[in-house]
């Protein structure tokens, strides 16, 4: 059987398994493993000979994931996740939310706007959208409900604000994209700063329009906030600002690589928390536990994705699809538009990490064929995945 035929059979099988809620790591890993075995066992023009497939299949299944998972760049993921959880346990994220709430207290919808700003601050020291939404949800939603905000506005603002964790650096999705697309993670981080800030501003504008049309959704809190209160709250944000400047500023200035920045940021957040007396042994233990849990999940998905990438490479599907699109004469706008629709549709049902690992082997060759920057394409993809994080029926955030 032709490898290309095997690929075109395996791809819908993988999508079906994902639609059936089979864990992403298992779905991609199993389909890729079986597909690789069939390719080696069923050579074009020959009979099915499984005895010739065991050794090359197992060799690929063992060596490729091990080389990938032990890569120096991938160590960035648990370090950034640890920095985010330590900062949350130390209350640094609460500080920036409280400062934003006090400074915006007199505005209609000010507490919801503060939630967006708080999510932006949390995103600046961690790389997970879901973690950002979960952490800020525990802080901001009870606060908004206490002030009489409507539940749709309270939950919606945190859910959409949490998506900033994917776009504002550092971002786990950008790290994985950079590894699989073989692009500079530092350049991806820098490229995402302005789109991230524009998204944050746009979300605030939407809240303003929402509360203007529905004033009952966001009563103005009846509390007395003095200038001293605002300045005091702002002064407590120095720790999170320092962490962001050290990590992103260090990368931008070329003082260290993203991996080194992750290590420095993780160590700095731990030291700041201990020196300021805001961390206990239980807090550190909780941060480590969450870091291990999230990192293990991401690494398992990444291994399945790596096997799937190898499988797609063996089938020649990417080259076939690129040639098909090139021969169709479709315009650049049509091709990019179809990719946008595809990413938004997949985002309605699947985890962002799984979508990246499932689609990049097919979309990157197409983007390269049209001469687009893969840095630009990376920012576009992550923004589309943000939309998926809040789009029914799943909407992980």
């Amino acid at each position: 059987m032709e490898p290309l035929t095997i690929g075109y059979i395996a791809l819908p099988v993988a999508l079906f398994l994902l639609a059936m809620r089979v864990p992403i790591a298992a779905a991609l890993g199993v389909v890729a493993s079986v597909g690789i075995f069939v390719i080696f066992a069923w050579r074009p023009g020959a009979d099915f000979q499984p005895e010739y497939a065991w050794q090359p299949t197992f060799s690929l299944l063992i060596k490729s994931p091990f080389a990938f998972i032990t890569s120096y760049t991938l160590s960035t993921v648990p370090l950034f996740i640890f920095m985010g959880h330590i900062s949350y346990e130390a209350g640094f994220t609460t500080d920036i939310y409280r400062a934003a709430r006090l400074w915006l207290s007199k505005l209609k919808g000010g507490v919801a706007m503060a939630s967006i700003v708080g999510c932006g601050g949390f995103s600046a020291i961690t790389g997970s959208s879901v973690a950002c939404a979960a952490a800020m949800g525990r802080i901001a939603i009870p606060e908004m409900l206490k002030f009489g905000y409507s539940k749709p506005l309270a939950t919606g603002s945190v859910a959409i604000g949490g998506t900033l964790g994917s776009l504002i650096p550092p971002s786990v999705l950008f790290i994985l994209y950079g590894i699989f697309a073989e692009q500079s993670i530092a350049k991806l981080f820098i490229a995402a700063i302005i789109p991230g800030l524009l998204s944050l501003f746009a979300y605030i504008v939407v809240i303003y329009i929402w509360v203007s049309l529905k004033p009952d959704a966001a009563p103005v809190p009846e509390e007395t906030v003095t200038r001293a209160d605002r300045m005091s709250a702002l002064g407590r944000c120095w720790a999170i600002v320092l962490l962001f400047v050290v990590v992103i500023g260090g990368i931008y200035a070329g003082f260290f690589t993203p991996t080194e920045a992750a290590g420095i940021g993780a160590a700095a957040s731990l030291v700041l928390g201990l020196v300021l007396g805001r961390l206990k042994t239980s807090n550190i233990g909780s941060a480590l536990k969450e870091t291990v849990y999230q990192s293990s999940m991401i690494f398992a998905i990444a291994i399945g994705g790596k096997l799937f990438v190898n499988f797609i490479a063996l089938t020649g599907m990417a080259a076939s699809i690129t040639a098909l699109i090139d021969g169709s004469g479709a315009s650049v706008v049509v091709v990019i538009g179809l990719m946008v629709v595809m990413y938004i549709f997949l985002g309605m049902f699947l985890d962002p990490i799984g979508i990246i690992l499932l689609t990049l082997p097919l979309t990157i060759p197409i983007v390269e064929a049209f001469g687009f920057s893969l840095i630009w394409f990376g920012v576009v993809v992550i923004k589309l995945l943000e939309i998926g994080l809040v789009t029914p029926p799943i909407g992980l955030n």
Side-chain angles (χ1 to χ4, degrees):
M1 184 181 287
E2 291 292 332
L4 187 59
T5 304
I6 298 171
Y8 281 122
I9 293 172
L11 186 58
V13 171
L15 288 171
F16 173 77
L17 292 175
L18 292 170
M20 292 294 100
R21 310 307 298 162
V22 174
I24 298 168
L28 296 183
V30 169
V31 170
S33 301
V34 173
I36 291 169
F37 180 84
V38 173
I39 288 174
F40 286 129
W42 206 343
R43 309 273 178 171
D47 295 329
F48 185 70
Q49 300 172 308
E51 63 272 16
Y52 295 112
W54 293 109
Q55 184 175 350
T57 301
F58 278 120
S59 177
L60 187 60
L61 295 183
I62 293 171
K63 292 180 180 179
S64 179
F66 179 79
F68 173 71
I69 213 72
T70 55
S71 65
Y72 178 69
T73 306
L74 203 59
S75 62
T76 308
V77 172
L79 289 171
F80 275 135
I81 292 175
F82 179 69
M83 181 175 71
H85 282 295
I86 281 291
S87 297
Y88 171 73
E89 295 290 342
F92 298 151
T93 52
T94 307
D95 290 341
I96 199 165
Y97 166 73
R98 185 172 183 273
R101 187 181 70 76
L102 294 180
W103 279 87
L104 299 171
S105 61
K106 294 302 179 184
L107 291 178
K108 288 282 289 183
V111 184
M113 295 176 185
S115 301
I116 299 293
V117 176
C119 286
F122 191 95
S123 303
I125 53 170
T126 188
S128 171
S129 284
V130 176
C132 180
M136 289 305 301
R138 289 195 291 267
I139 299 169
I141 291 178
E143 193 87 357
M144 282 186 275
L145 295 180
K146 182 180 74 174
F147 287 122
Y149 277 55
S150 69
K151 289 183 179 180
L153 178 56
T155 55
S157 58
V158 172
I160 195 64
T163 64
L164 295 170
S166 295
L167 198 55
I168 294 179
S171 164
V172 170
L173 292 183
F174 272 124
I175 294 169
L176 293 176
Y177 176 89
I179 292 172
F180 279 90
E182 298 181 352
Q183 297 297 303
S184 167
I185 294 173
K187 289 183 179 179
L188 286 166
F189 281 177
I190 300 306
I193 290 177
I194 292 178
L197 294 176
L198 286 173
S199 296
L200 187 151
F201 177 74
Y203 299 155
I204 291 176
V205 171
V206 169
I207 291 174
Y208 177 79
I209 295 172
W210 185 338
V211 299
S212 297
L213 296 175
K214 295 183 178 181
D216 293 341
V220 177
E222 295 180 1
E223 60 175 344
T224 302
V225 180
T226 65
R227 180 178 177 81
D229 293 332
R230 293 191 176 100
M231 296 306 296
S232 174
L234 189 63
R236 289 177 63 87
C237 295
W238 68 269
I240 197 171
V241 173
L242 177 63
L243 287 173
F244 182 78
V245 170
V246 167
V247 172
I248 303 303
I251 294 173
Y252 184 75
F255 293 140
F256 32 72
T257 66
T259 308
E260 293 167 344
I264 292 170
S269 61
L270 180 60
V271 170
L272 279 173
L274 291 172
V275 169
L276 296 175
R278 301 175 71 171
L279 282 177
K280 299 179 181 178
T281 305
S282 58
N283 299 128
I284 299 173
S286 178
L288 285 170
K289 180 181 177 182
E290 288 297 321
T291 300
V292 170
Y293 173 77
Q294 289 189 22
S295 300
S296 300
M297 178 185 67
I298 291 170
F299 277 38
I301 296 173
I303 290 173
K306 179 62 176 175
L307 291 174
F308 195 79
V309 168
N310 291 337
F311 168 65
I312 294 296
L314 287 173
T315 64
M317 282 181 64
S320 172
I321 294 173
T322 303
L324 183 66
I325 292 174
D326 189 48
S328 69
S331 68
V332 172
V333 174
V334 171
V335 173
I336 296 298
L338 289 174
M339 286 188 184
V340 169
V341 172
M342 177 191 71
Y343 274 106
I344 291 178
F345 176 76
L346 291 176
M348 292 167 62
F349 303 96
L350 305 180
D351 177 88
I353 297 176
I355 296 173
I356 281 185
L357 302 184
L358 179 69
T359 60
L360 287 188
L362 303 175
T363 56
I364 284 179
I366 298 172
V367 173
E368 288 182 315
F370 279 97
F372 287 115
S373 162
L374 288 178
I375 298 293
W376 169 83
F377 182 66
V379 176
V380 172
V381 167
I382 302 304
K383 184 61 192 173
L384 293 172
L385 293 177
E386 280 190 356
I387 297 173
L389 283 168
V390 289
T391 304
I394 304 300
L396 286 175
N397 275 14

